[in-house]
Amino acid sequence: MSNEVTTKKYVSQFEMFGTVVSLTLFKRDQAVVETVYDYLQDADRIFSANREDSLLMKINRQAGVQPVQVPRQLYNLIKRGVVASRKYRDSFNVLIGPFVKLWRIGFEGQRLPYPADIKARLQLIEPDDVLLNDEQQTVYLTRRGMELDLGAIAKGYFADQIIDLLQSNGLKAGIVNLGGNVQLFGRNPLTSDGRWHVGIRNPQQPTGQPLTTISTVAKSVVTSGIDERYFIVDGHRYHHILSPLTGYPIDNDLASVTIVTPESTLAEILTTVCFFAGSRRGLELVDHMTDVEAVFVTRQNKILMSRGLER
Ligand code: ADP
Ligand code: MG
């Protein structure tokens, strides 16, 4: 009898938050797959800015009225988002909600807003206008019309939570893919060195062959791009990453940014920050951070990688 060990790959997929979630494990474990599915369903009910009945929307409806008490995990993610928004003032901003709702990019009714409507909302996205109370776990948006939107970081947070969940269930390796937001864990049992290979999609042809592939030990690999959700008016592309300075989609040399770092929530924050920074300043920023790598793809499909990846 041969003592050769064959590693089997078990892939589960489900549709959620308008995207495909896939879970790759190297051990059959239907119970854990169900646990992940249930976790994501619950999470969507709490964190979504697209469902009127979510807890997040409850905070938004009470803007300018009163503080709202929320569960610890939602509180923590909001706090993380608000703190990052105060730090990266000109780019990442979880108070971007009023603009997301005005443009409706990627949803029914997307349209070019009136400049006056844009201008009016610029007063409603100030991160300092959020009051957080750690003891009471309350969030208060102090002005009427303010709106939190965790769209840029929620999936990263879910990915981090899922990794914890899988590990506490005794799994040693796997891939959590939340619509292109990839979180790897453990050693890849299918490669001799245990590394993983992740394709970077081609912004010109998102569903075609990847533009390039990176090799990494288990990390989070998160991409943000202008090819994900957009609409075109008079030949101009309006995509879903909105500038807190202007209220319009950010317009620079980039088509996508991928961040590679252990924690997925941080990866999400940095994809947005680097998107605004552009390729030159973005590379500088990443090269000064520990255990953060990046791939920038320009609108001409030129690829720029941070030092640690080029090696
Ligand atoms: P995806 O949802 O396609 O993974 P991203 O992670 O890039 O994309 O997040 C984009 C989402 O983040 C938008 O749909 C919107 O909900 C929100 N958003 C848009 N602009 C900003 C911004 N400047 N800062 C924080 N969040 C933003
Ligand atoms: Mg993001």
Side-chain angles (χ1 to χ4, degrees):
M1 231 177 76
S2 145
N3 56 3
E4 188 187 319
V5 183
T6 51
T7 306
K8 288 186 185 166
K9 197 158 115 172
Y10 298 90
V11 182
S12 316
Q13 287 193 327
F14 17 91
E15 271 186 51
M16 220 170 250
F17 6 88
T19 182
V20 179
V21 170
S22 96
L23 187 62
T24 303
L25 302 174
F26 300 94
K27 194 180 141 198
R28 191 203 301 275
D29 192 337
Q30 195 52 33
V32 94
V33 173
E34 298 293 329
T35 310
V36 170
Y37 181 80
D38 292 344
Y39 166 77
L40 283 170
Q41 288 238 302
D42 288 346
D44 191 40
R45 240 172 265 137
I46 297 172
F47 293 84
S48 179
N50 304 319
R51 348 179 6 148
E52 276 310 310
D53 61 340
S54 73
L55 273 179
L56 185 75
M57 284 309 291
K58 189 171 166 191
I59 299 172
N60 291 340
R61 275 196 303 273
Q62 296 298 326
V65 181
Q66 61 183 346
V68 176
Q69 194 171 41
V70 294
R72 180 50 65 185
Q73 41 165 347
L74 178 59
Y75 183 83
N76 287 348
L77 187 63
I78 290 174
K79 185 163 178 182
R80 179 90 187 265
V82 169
V83 168
S85 305
R86 287 173 184 158
K87 179 168 177 185
Y88 298 111
R89 231 150 240 293
D90 300 345
S91 55
F92 179 85
N93 187 336
V94 286
L95 277 314
I96 202 78
F99 287 113
V100 175
K101 293 284 160 76
L102 181 65
W103 285 88
R104 303 191 54 74
I105 293 169
F107 293 91
E108 218 184 291
Q110 56 191 12
R111 59 176 194 260
L112 202 57
Y114 294 111
D117 289 335
I118 298 258
K119 204 165 161 238
R121 282 166 177 78
L122 285 168
Q123 334 293 323
L124 297 173
I125 58 169
E126 172 52 56
D128 290 335
D129 290 340
V130 183
L131 295 185
L132 297 165
N133 184 315
D134 289 350
E135 274 103 71
Q136 316 220 316
Q137 262 166 245
T138 57
V139 181
Y140 182 29
L141 310 180
T142 56
R143 286 159 161 258
R144 200 178 275 274
M146 285 176 74
E147 194 158 332
L148 280 165
D149 182 310
L150 301 174
I153 50 172
K155 275 190 280 169
Y157 176 76
F158 300 161
D160 287 329
Q161 299 287 104
I162 292 170
I163 294 301
D164 288 350
L165 210 147
L166 295 174
Q167 281 175 332
S168 62
N169 276 277
L171 288 152
K172 297 281 182 275
I175 308 170
V176 178
N177 187 337
L178 307 182
N181 176 335
V182 176
Q183 173 84 6
L184 309 160
F185 81 105
R187 277 177 62 89
N188 184 350
L190 301 175
T191 58
S192 55
D193 57 4
R195 290 172 77 86
W196 303 85
H197 304 286
V198 184
I200 304 294
R201 69 162 187 264
N202 182 343
Q204 321 267 3
Q205 278 171 315
T207 52
Q209 281 286 97
L211 198 57
T212 184
T213 300
I214 57 159
S215 151
T216 177
V217 296
K219 297 259 165 88
S220 173
V221 183
V222 174
T223 300
S224 263
I226 60 172
D227 56 309
E228 290 170 64
R229 280 188 269 139
Y230 63 89
F231 68 103
I232 293 174
V233 180
D234 295 336
H236 193 283
R237 181 194 289 235
Y238 296 91
H239 60 81
H240 75 324
I241 304 171
L242 303 169
S243 165
L245 292 180
T246 64
Y248 285 83
I250 168 75
D251 201 0
N252 61 16
D253 68 328
L254 291 177
S256 79
V257 177
T258 300
I259 296 283
V260 185
T261 197
E263 199 214 15
S264 197
T265 310
L266 178 65
E268 290 270 22
I269 293 170
L270 293 179
T271 53
T272 305
V273 171
C274 285
F275 212 101
F276 280 87
S279 58
R280 196 180 51 82
R281 271 203 306 130
L283 274 175
E284 239 171 66
L285 187 85
V286 164
D287 281 332
H288 281 94
M289 293 180 142
T290 319
D291 211 352
V292 179
E293 302 298 340
V295 182
F296 293 81
V297 180
T298 70
R299 294 197 183 191
Q300 280 75 45
N301 257 13
K302 207 173 121 199
I303 305 168
L304 297 113
M305 292 192 185
S306 61
R307 288 202 195 115
L309 288 178
E310 272 174 338
R311 212 180 30 209

